[in-house]
Amino acid sequence: MKKFRKVLDGLTTSPGTIGSPTCGSAASTPTAAPTPREIDVQEMLVSENFQICKTVRHGFPYQPTALAFDPVQKIVAIGTRTGGIRILGRPGVDCYCQHESGAAVLQLQFLINEGALVTACADDTLHLWNLRQRRPAVLHSLKFNRERITFCHLPFQSKWLYVGTERGNTHIVNIESFILSGYVIMWNKAIELATKTHPGPVVHLSDSPKDEGKLLIGFESGTVVQWDLRVKKADFRIYYDEAIHSVSWHHEGKQFMCSHSDGSLTMWNLRNTTKPFQITFPHGKVGKDGRKESCKPILKVEYKTSRNSSEPFIIFSGGLSYDKAGRRPTLTIMHGKAITVLEMDHPIVEFMVLCETPYNNEIQEPYAVVVLLEKDFIVVDLTQSNFPIFENPYPMDIHESPVTCTAYFADCPPDIIPILYSIGAKNKKTGYSQKEWPVSGGTWTLGSQTYPEIIITGHADGSIKFWDASAITLQMLYKLKTSKVFEKPKPSEGRAADLAEEDPFAVQMVSWCPHSRVFCVVGISAHVILYRFSKYDGNTQIVSLDLRLQGDGEDPVSPSETENNPCFSDPSCHSPQHPPASPGCGTPDGAKDSNQCLKVKSRPVRMPPGYQAELVVQLLWVDGEPPQQITSLDVNSAYGLLAFGNCNGLAVVDYIQKSILLCMSTLDLYGAADPYQRLTRSPRKNRQSTSDFCMRGLSNFYSDSKKRIRTSYQSLTELTDNQVSMDMERSKSPTSVPYPTSIHNDPRILPEPVASLRASHYSPVFYLLDNDHVNGHCTSPTSQPCSAGKPRLPVGPEGPRLTRRGPGRPPFRKAQSAACMEISLPVSHTEESRENSFSRSRSSSVSSIDRDTKEAVTTLQFGESYGRKNDALPSPCLWVGTSLGVALLIPISIPTDHEERLEEALTVGPSGGVLMLKGSILRFASLDCGGSLIQSPYEVWRDPNAPEDPDRPRRRKLVNFSPSSSQEACGDGHLAVVCSEKQAKVFLMPSQTCLFVHNITESSFVLRADVVSVCNSICLACFCANGHVMTLSLPSLRPLMDVNYLPLTDMRIARTFCFTNGGQALYLSSPTEVQRITYSQEMCDNLQEMLGELFTPIETPEAQNRGFLKGFFGGNAQNVDREELFGEAAAGKASRSLAQHIPGPAGMEGMKAAAGGVVGDLARARIALDERGQRLGELEERTALMMTSAETFSKHAHELMLKCKDKKWYQL
């Protein structure tokens, strides 16, 4: 605990203040010094309270490549192209691992019921993972130097792994030591000497169910060899004309099936291997001319037998005919004469048939099929004739529509999750299998530190999903579709035709009050929707308000005009429900003037229980210009107000009276208190370029990517371009900075085609650099400054058509700090230096802005504060933060009486305070003088559709957290925390005296900042563009943590990163996955007990007793001593240059650290020893019983022999 004492005397600041203490009010006029008083703030947080680590990852594994299943432990593993592994069991058992190399996972092999996993990666390395700990770790690695791995096979209960290579050789690895055996099956030994061609890579390896000493090797060219491991020669060789993709044995080991590249299945009998005894084309039909249709390859086939039916299951993927264009990927199930074709929504990556037994020489008894698709994960029930799918308990549909924004709320009201779940359960899909989810391995218990948490995701199709994120799990509660508020766009309409290829309903940001259950959504079409929650359905008439928030960047602004037009002096701006006609109506684009981007349903709409739309506010076109994207939003249920802003200005809406309270440009908000002197510039000729401005800050950048949202799942990740367009841009702009070429060597970053650049030429182009700093360039083919218009392509015959911005596409001019980017414009050297100097230092010391850019509203917050320096009592205020680092206070007069609030108009006073910071303002917060956070007031939720009670009229019940409630500590006043992209400041209100200032970063800038509670105290958490996560104490802004955690590689992370209470945060780690992290030491310490156990001690099922007769006639499988064949004594050592053994991280010490300490290891070892001792005791008892039984049988047999030895046969 550290105690801070500070004496406030006028504008004097403490000498211990971090950073520059010179920070007064924006008016730069000293005020009367307040009475010196002492503030005692006991800050509880210290650096030891913070540690950052990943907790859990939710969603579908991005770009999956491999699949494996442990039939005893009943857990599944999924490998990805980026080297990740997701291991799933019962709900709550969800583990993510990552290979350090980042190489794609080619194949996965469980050591069945051993708690281990073997992975084969694209860098030709094998890894052995230990799963007997909550955080799996690599025990051994084996790097092949001269050959490429193509296939692996690990027999059940064997410690020898077969590895096939691209050269056609087969190597054998000891799993325990992870060292190569000297036993090698060379390709030239496997095939006949007379064969002149190479058989190709090994595509299949499996041991015979009948004899473990026989290994079946499948080569890509169509050659199949059964190799006798004992005598080291081939038993038989099969040559087929078509390439082989997979092989599957019958459980008796007398025949096997192959799938081929021509869409055929061949059956082979070991008695006659000269030709297949059956060839089938499951989907190939014979045409009228007698020719068979050509079919696609069958990539995999599984051949399984069942006790209940004499007919086997034959399950395969692919094999459809080529002539049926547009057919979706299929999984075919053949059972007897019945053929069922299951169409999939996405291409099939891999599938596995789940069987009752892990032994390959027993009747398999399949009961389900696990199908891994490119963007989904399903399980099919084979026990029912209609083959239904199981309901997936994992949140695999986060990416159902691309995620465009996220919000994270911890410590929610306890009743909100059950009610959302009950309403969302009514809309769940039906038709699922009634059986339990078959992937049920592992154990997980609800941790002691659990509290209600909700994650909200907004999507490109306009849908919004509420997720229950309590106890590190994720379950969807409720889904809301914002598109139902609007009419469907008709292609015949001009406006809809322009939006036909867009996502007009894409969600840009959300604002939610869990206590009042008021929910606001901002869409990409510059619209705001307000929802109220109700447990009843109802018919509602949605109120639609239209307003113009289109500033005129052409008009010169001079100090004289600013002085003669004080803030709020224009009544038309004060109440703009009916704005005057725009002069742009006379222009050629005047037909689009006052047009809505979307049309709200005019008829009463029946709304089911849940969130019901009440109000829609839309920004209109003005003078042929589309409205700018909304950049900030806040809603307050206690005030009944909704505020939003963009790069043109601010709008405040009274959603109780359904009226527009305020609609002003950002420039008019200052009045006489404007800290900048805006000089006159000559008007430009091109009217359309007046709005060519890209809003600063992160929240404005997404509109550039709305085209990419629709086109791919990497919509917010692939912000790169190819080398061709690079060269074009470099040649057209001589002042451009040279681009790095190292980006094109990274296979993880996919370039966009040139056509995509042309389709979205109005957007800045970004390049991801190695040092995590991005430099984008808006190119211009001429020497004309970029400020005169938007980026253009070279002028040609189609120039006007290409450079015309389509309706609804926001104009862009410059993005100075979006997502680790500093945009340099290819203009003349003089103007370039002026622009860049401002972008690097947007501080209060800038007294003149010789530019025609607009000031964006970057953040808004309602709350109780002192609007003016001489205010004696706090009142409702709106904090407004701008992209120039200015924080404005707007007092609002709200009637306290319930009836007056419903009828009387609200009034807005002139701006009382202007505070200055460096960089765009990101966050506001209020503290009392004791250092506690002052929450925004809210209205207690009441159901708007509940039946009326005449005896008890419904009245609004407000909960107010006014600064005056804690004035005993320090008298009048409270502390205001303001954080920008560059620094954070703490002001004393109402004197607006700067108490503390901290420069957060100089070389980078802050992307996200939140005031959060950690360990029963509060701090300021920041995420910077250089990947640093920082926490600062409040109110002293003392650095507590600074960790270089996450290098920013794409805009997706920047768009979706958010903090919440309890020391937690999240971001989209991939287009399909949500990564949750914690920066609390307490949660890191308790994380081990919150995670699920992947391995549970289960006794391996015994092999089936096949009976005396089957064993006598050779029905039992023959065992082989692999140690005798592959051990060093018999096979010798492998060449050292062939493969290199790499120990796991720090040997056993690293494994212990990953498992959570020595104590946990000892406890687990003790449990394992106890279990082993118990099993040995049981085995000893069974051995003793068998010996006693054998002695008794011997005694009786001897007595019977003595009794009958002297008798004749006819006397018996």
Side-chain angles (χ1 to χ4, degrees):
M1 181 186 301
K2 190 169 182 179
K3 197 172 187 180
F4 289 88
R5 303 177 68 85
K6 187 168 188 63
V7 177
L8 308 178
D9 189 7
L11 298 179
T12 306
T13 56
S14 170
T17 303
I18 304 172
S20 174
T22 306
C23 168
S25 65
S28 301
T29 55
T31 58
T35 304
R37 63 176 61 91
E38 196 175 79
I39 297 179
D40 292 344
V41 178
Q42 295 182 346
E43 295 188 351
M44 310 294 294
L45 294 177
V46 293
S47 298
E48 287 71 21
N49 295 124
F50 296 93
Q51 180 186 348
I52 192 165
C53 66
K54 295 180 180 179
T55 54
V56 67
R57 181 173 292 206
H58 304 294
F60 179 77
Y62 184 54
Q63 295 179 332
T65 54
L67 177 69
F69 180 75
D70 189 326
V72 179
Q73 289 290 320
K74 295 190 181 301
I75 57 177
V76 69
I78 301 173
T80 69
R81 191 177 300 175
T82 56
I85 307 172
R86 284 284 292 280
I87 305 174
L88 304 171
R90 66 176 67 248
V93 179
D94 188 343
C95 179
Y96 174 78
C97 313
Q98 175 68 43
H99 291 92
E100 291 183 1
S101 64
V105 179
L106 299 180
Q107 198 173 350
L108 299 167
Q109 285 279 325
F110 274 107
L111 276 67
I112 297 176
N113 204 28
E114 294 292 335
L117 175 70
V118 175
T119 60
C121 296
D123 60 351
D124 305 311
T125 306
L126 299 173
H127 303 275
L128 178 63
W129 293 81
N130 179 22
L131 306 184
R132 296 190 177 222
Q133 53 195 50
R134 303 195 184 210
R135 293 278 192 179
V138 175
L139 295 178
H140 302 281
S141 298
L142 188 66
K143 169 72 174 175
F144 280 74
N145 297 323
R146 296 185 299 186
E147 298 192 52
R148 309 214 62 178
I149 299 173
T150 56
F151 195 86
C152 297
H153 170 63
L154 180 65
F156 178 46
Q157 294 182 327
S158 170
K159 68 175 184 178
W160 297 95
L161 174 72
Y162 301 112
V163 181
T165 67
E166 193 175 33
R167 293 186 180 181
N169 303 325
T170 302
H171 301 274
I172 301 169
V173 179
N174 188 312
I175 290 297
E176 294 177 350
S177 62
F178 234 59
I179 297 177
L180 270 180
S181 166
Y183 194 111
V184 183
I185 306 174
M186 304 299 291
W187 68 270
N188 54 356
K189 300 287 182 65
I191 65 173
E192 290 180 339
L193 296 176
T195 306
K196 297 181 181 179
T197 58
H198 191 279
V202 175
V203 296
H204 176 81
L205 292 168
S206 62
D207 52 337
S208 170
K210 190 175 181 180
D211 187 353
E212 294 178 353
K214 305 293 179 69
L215 181 67
L216 194 70
I217 308 173
F219 297 93
E220 188 181 55
S221 63
T223 302
V224 179
V225 177
Q226 179 165 290
W227 184 264
D228 192 326
L229 297 171
R230 300 181 186 89
V231 299
K232 299 183 180 180
K233 70 175 185 178
D235 285 347
F236 62 82
R237 299 178 179 91
I238 293 174
Y239 299 98
Y240 195 69
D241 296 336
E242 295 294 335
I244 291 178
H245 285 277
S246 69
V247 182
S248 183
W249 279 98
H250 188 277
H251 79 277
E252 293 181 349
K254 298 178 180 179
Q255 59 189 24
F256 59 87
M257 178 179 290
C258 300
S259 67
H260 299 277
S261 58
D262 62 345
S264 65
L265 297 173
T266 57
M267 288 280 289
W268 301 83
N269 197 310
L270 299 190
R271 294 181 180 179
N272 182 12
T273 58
T274 56
K275 63 178 182 179
F277 73 88
Q278 183 180 349
I279 302 176
T280 58
F281 288 83
H283 296 298
K285 297 180 180 179
V286 180
K288 296 180 180 179
D289 56 355
R291 295 182 179 180
K292 286 187 177 181
E293 296 177 335
S294 59
C295 297
K296 300 177 182 178
I298 296 179
L299 301 178
K300 184 177 180 180
V301 63
E302 293 267 17
Y303 187 23
K304 304 297 180 183
T305 53
S306 175
R307 290 191 184 90
N308 300 328
S309 174
S310 59
E311 297 292 341
F313 280 92
I314 300 175
I315 304 170
F316 61 90
S317 61
L320 294 178
S321 59
Y322 278 106
D323 61 347
K324 295 181 180 178
R327 284 285 298 270
R328 294 191 291 180
T330 61
L331 182 76
T332 305
I333 303 175
M334 299 173 61
H335 189 211
K337 295 183 179 180
I339 300 179
T340 304
V341 179
L342 305 179
E343 289 192 341
M344 304 295 169
D345 294 331
H346 310 285
I348 297 174
V349 176
E350 176 71 284
F351 74 89
M352 291 192 71
V353 179
L354 309 188
C355 301
E356 296 287 351
T357 177
Y359 297 93
N360 64 346
N361 58 355
E362 297 179 358
I363 297 177
Q364 300 298 287
E365 204 65 42
Y367 60 89
V369 183
V370 176
V371 187
L372 177 63
L373 308 176
E374 277 191 2
K375 297 175 183 177
D376 204 356
F377 178 77
I378 64 173
V379 181
V380 181
D381 187 357
L382 291 179
T383 60
Q384 301 183 38
S385 58
N386 59 339
F387 303 123
I389 65 172
F390 291 87
E391 185 176 5
N392 198 327
Y394 314 123
M396 293 289 187
D397 57 345
I398 293 177
H399 61 286
E400 185 178 14
S401 175
V403 178
T404 55
C405 72
T406 59
Y408 194 4
F409 300 88
D411 205 9
C412 300
D415 59 336
I416 190 68
I417 290 180
I419 194 169
L420 284 175
Y421 180 79
S422 62
I423 292 177
K426 298 177 183 178
N427 300 322
K428 279 193 172 182
K429 296 179 181 179
T430 57
Y432 293 109
S433 173
Q434 299 300 316
K435 295 193 174 183
E436 292 185 1
W437 178 254
V439 185
S440 57
T443 56
W444 179 77
T445 56
L446 198 63
S448 58
Q449 294 185 341
T450 58
Y451 44 84
E453 299 175 67
I454 288 181
I455 295 173
I456 300 177
T457 56
H459 300 264
D461 63 351
S463 62
I464 295 169
K465 296 180 181 179
F466 290 76
W467 305 84
D468 178 12
S470 307
I472 71 169
T473 60
L474 196 68
Q475 181 181 10
M476 196 174 81
L477 298 172
Y478 175 70
K479 183 177 180 180
L480 176 66
K481 295 182 178 180
T482 62
S483 59
K484 291 186 176 181
V485 175
F486 304 98
E487 301 283 357
K488 292 183 178 180
K490 297 180 181 179
S492 58
E493 298 178 2
R495 173 73 187 119
D498 294 329
L499 283 173
E501 295 183 354
E502 304 289 345
D503 289 304
F505 310 113
V507 178
Q508 196 170 357
M509 64 182 72
V510 296
S511 179
W512 184 50
C513 177
H515 301 281
S516 62
R517 303 181 188 176
V518 173
F519 186 55
C520 264
V521 181
V522 169
I524 199 171
S525 297
H527 63 270
V528 182
I529 310 174
L530 184 133
Y531 289 89
R532 304 288 290 271
F533 187 84
S534 176
K535 295 188 291 185
Y536 307 93
D537 57 359
N539 291 323
T540 307
Q541 178 71 47
I542 303 174
V543 179
S544 177
L545 297 178
D546 301 332
L547 58 88
R548 301 180 185 180
L549 202 58
Q550 196 85 1
D552 194 344
E554 310 274 16
D555 299 336
V557 180
S558 63
S560 60
E561 290 183 3
T562 305
E563 293 172 0
N564 296 330
N565 293 280
C567 186
F568 304 103
S569 61
D570 188 356
S572 64
C573 294
H574 189 72
S575 299
Q577 289 97 328
H578 304 286
S582 171
C585 294
T587 64
D589 292 329
K592 297 179 181 177
D593 190 21
S594 300
N595 273 4
Q596 298 175 338
C597 295
L598 299 170
K599 186 177 180 181
V600 182
K601 292 180 178 179
S602 58
R603 62 185 184 279
V605 180
R606 182 190 175 277
M607 299 185 182
Y611 274 103
Q612 301 172 353
E614 183 176 289
L615 175 68
V616 177
V617 184
Q618 291 194 83
L619 299 184
L620 298 175
W621 284 55
V622 175
D623 298 336
E625 288 291 320
Q628 293 283 356
Q629 296 297 303
I630 296 173
T631 61
S632 54
L633 170 73
D634 194 32
V635 62
N636 188 279
S637 57
Y639 303 157
L641 297 179
L642 164 67
F644 61 91
N646 63 6
C647 72
N648 290 320
L650 170 70
V652 181
V653 178
D654 183 348
Y655 68 79
I656 294 179
Q657 299 183 16
K658 307 296 188 297
S659 62
I660 299 173
L661 179 63
L662 174 69
C663 179
M664 300 189 75
S665 68
T666 316
L667 206 61
D668 295 332
L669 293 176
Y670 290 106
D674 190 353
Y676 297 108
Q677 298 177 5
R678 304 171 194 263
L679 304 181
T680 305
R681 290 180 62 91
S682 300
R684 297 187 299 269
K685 297 180 180 180
N686 185 7
R687 175 65 185 93
Q688 188 174 357
S689 64
T690 58
S691 301
D692 291 342
F693 171 77
C694 178
M695 297 81 72
R696 292 170 209 86
L698 170 64
S699 59
N700 320 299
F701 183 75
Y702 165 68
S703 53
D704 169 47
S705 306
K706 65 176 183 176
K707 180 77 173 179
R708 297 185 179 92
I709 291 177
R710 178 185 60 83
T711 54
S712 72
Y713 272 72
Q714 303 169 17
S715 56
L716 293 179
T717 63
E718 297 178 5
L719 297 179
T720 62
D721 203 0
N722 56 15
Q723 186 66 39
V724 177
S725 58
M726 278 187 181
D727 296 335
M728 179 189 70
E729 302 290 348
R730 188 186 301 118
S731 63
K732 293 299 178 182
S733 180
T735 59
S736 299
V737 179
Y739 298 95
T741 57
S742 59
I743 181 175
H744 302 284
N745 299 327
D746 189 352
R748 292 171 292 180
I749 301 175
L750 304 179
E752 289 183 6
V754 180
S756 174
L757 174 66
R758 288 180 175 270
S760 58
H761 63 274
Y762 54 88
S763 307
V765 184
F766 300 97
Y767 300 94
L768 311 184
L769 308 187
D770 293 338
N771 61 354
D772 301 327
H773 184 80
V774 182
N775 201 346
H777 297 264
C778 306
T779 62
S780 176
T782 66
S783 60
Q784 183 181 3
C786 240
S787 59
K790 58 183 175 297
R792 292 172 294 177
L793 289 176
V795 178
E798 299 178 352
R801 182 177 64 85
L802 287 173
T803 57
R804 185 175 64 247
R805 185 171 55 249
R809 294 176 176 176
F812 283 81
R813 177 180 176 274
K814 183 178 178 185
Q816 287 185 331
S817 59
C820 195
M821 302 168 192
E822 191 169 43
I823 306 303
S824 304
L825 299 178
V827 296
S828 61
H829 292 287
T830 304
E831 184 161 349
E832 183 182 35
S833 60
R834 182 170 62 245
E835 296 278 6
N836 288 340
S837 64
F838 183 81
S839 66
R840 289 185 176 87
S841 176
R842 281 176 278 164
S843 65
S844 58
S845 61
V846 180
S847 61
S848 176
I849 306 178
D850 187 15
R851 309 183 307 159
D852 59 340
T853 58
K854 298 168 187 173
E855 187 173 2
V857 177
T858 55
T859 184
L860 296 166
Q861 181 167 319
F862 288 102
E864 299 282 320
S865 187
Y866 300 86
R868 304 169 188 84
K869 292 184 179 181
N870 56 357
D871 284 355
L873 295 174
S875 62
C877 292
L878 174 62
W879 288 87
V880 181
T882 74
S883 57
L884 294 185
V886 180
L888 300 167
L889 256 178
I890 300 180
I892 305 173
S893 176
I894 302 177
T896 56
D897 183 72
H898 176 70
E899 299 297 334
E900 292 179 357
R901 177 64 185 88
L902 298 178
E903 298 176 359
E904 291 188 7
L906 278 63
T907 58
V908 178
S911 174
V914 179
L915 311 175
M916 299 294 299
L917 281 83
K918 293 180 183 178
S920 299
I921 305 295
L922 298 179
R923 188 65 57 198
F924 295 110
S926 296
L927 312 179
D928 61 22
C929 292
S932 300
L933 182 65
I934 301 175
Q935 302 286 349
S936 297
Y938 63 86
E939 176 190 3
V940 178
W941 175 75
R942 55 191 177 93
D943 199 322
N945 295 336
E948 293 283 351
D949 187 356
D951 299 332
R952 299 181 60 185
R954 293 191 299 173
R955 300 180 65 86
R956 301 176 70 224
K957 182 179 178 181
L958 307 182
V959 178
N960 193 7
F961 300 94
S962 174
S964 59
S965 61
S966 59
Q967 297 310 321
E968 295 80 6
C970 62
D972 297 339
H974 73 94
L975 303 178
V977 181
V978 187
C979 182
S980 73
E981 292 176 330
K982 292 291 186 180
Q983 62 180 188
K985 291 184 179 181
V986 176
F987 297 90
L988 176 66
M989 306 299 289
S991 66
Q992 302 177 12
T993 305
C994 180
L995 304 182
F996 300 97
V997 57
H998 176 69
N999 293 319
I1000 301 174
T1001 177
E1002 294 294 341
S1003 59
S1004 183
F1005 52 88
V1006 179
L1007 291 171
R1008 181 78 186 209
D1010 287 289
V1011 175
V1012 294
S1013 64
V1014 180
C1015 300
N1016 299 320
S1017 188
I1018 60 171
C1019 67
L1020 176 64
C1022 303
F1023 172 56
C1024 295
N1026 57 8
H1028 285 247
V1029 177
M1030 306 178 185
T1031 56
L1032 306 174
S1033 67
L1034 288 175
S1036 67
L1037 300 178
R1038 177 171 44 91
L1040 297 173
M1041 181 187 71
D1042 186 354
V1043 178
N1044 187 5
Y1045 167 71
L1046 183 71
L1048 187 68
T1049 55
D1050 52 54
M1051 272 302 301
R1052 181 189 61 250
I1053 298 174
R1055 268 303 294 182
T1056 57
F1057 196 101
C1058 52
F1059 295 98
T1060 190
N1061 294 329
Q1064 297 195 77
L1066 66 79
Y1067 59 91
L1068 238 68
S1069 57
S1070 72
T1072 62
E1073 294 171 289
V1074 171
Q1075 177 68 59
R1076 292 165 67 179
I1077 64 173
T1078 181
Y1079 47 95
S1080 167
Q1081 179 67 57
E1082 182 181 5
M1083 189 168 185
C1084 288
D1085 295 339
N1086 299 323
L1087 185 59
Q1088 288 295 323
E1089 67 178 47
M1090 298 171 66
L1091 297 175
E1093 289 274 6
L1094 295 174
F1095 178 79
T1096 54
I1098 301 175
E1099 190 170 346
T1100 303
E1102 295 183 358
Q1104 201 174 31
N1105 187 4
R1106 300 175 64 85
F1108 173 76
L1109 290 177
K1110 283 191 175 181
F1112 184 78
F1113 290 105
N1116 280 338
Q1118 298 183 26
N1119 297 326
V1120 63
D1121 187 355
R1122 294 188 177 94
E1123 180 67 33
E1124 184 179 342
L1125 294 176
F1126 308 141
E1128 186 176 334
K1133 293 184 178 181
S1135 173
R1136 291 185 179 182
S1137 61
L1138 183 60
Q1140 176 187 359
H1141 176 259
I1142 305 172
M1148 290 300 296
E1149 286 76 17
M1151 175 181 163
K1152 290 176 183 177
V1158 179
V1159 176
D1161 282 321
L1162 291 176
R1164 274 184 283 275
R1166 192 181 302 111
I1167 293 173
L1169 287 174
D1170 292 342
E1171 292 172 353
R1172 179 179 175 131
Q1174 184 179 355
R1175 292 181 184 177
L1176 289 175
E1178 294 174 356
L1179 181 61
E1180 186 177 356
E1181 291 176 1
R1182 277 187 283 178
T1183 304
L1185 289 174
M1186 291 176 64
M1187 290 179 63
T1188 305
S1189 177
E1191 290 177 358
T1192 304
F1193 179 77
S1194 176
K1195 181 179 178 181
H1196 286 304
H1198 184 69
E1199 291 176 354
L1200 184 62
M1201 185 268 294
L1202 294 176
K1203 181 178 179 182
C1204 300
K1205 75 174 183 177
D1206 294 333
K1207 292 185 179 182
K1208 304 294 183 182
W1209 63 270
Y1210 52 84
Q1211 294 177 331
L1212 296 176

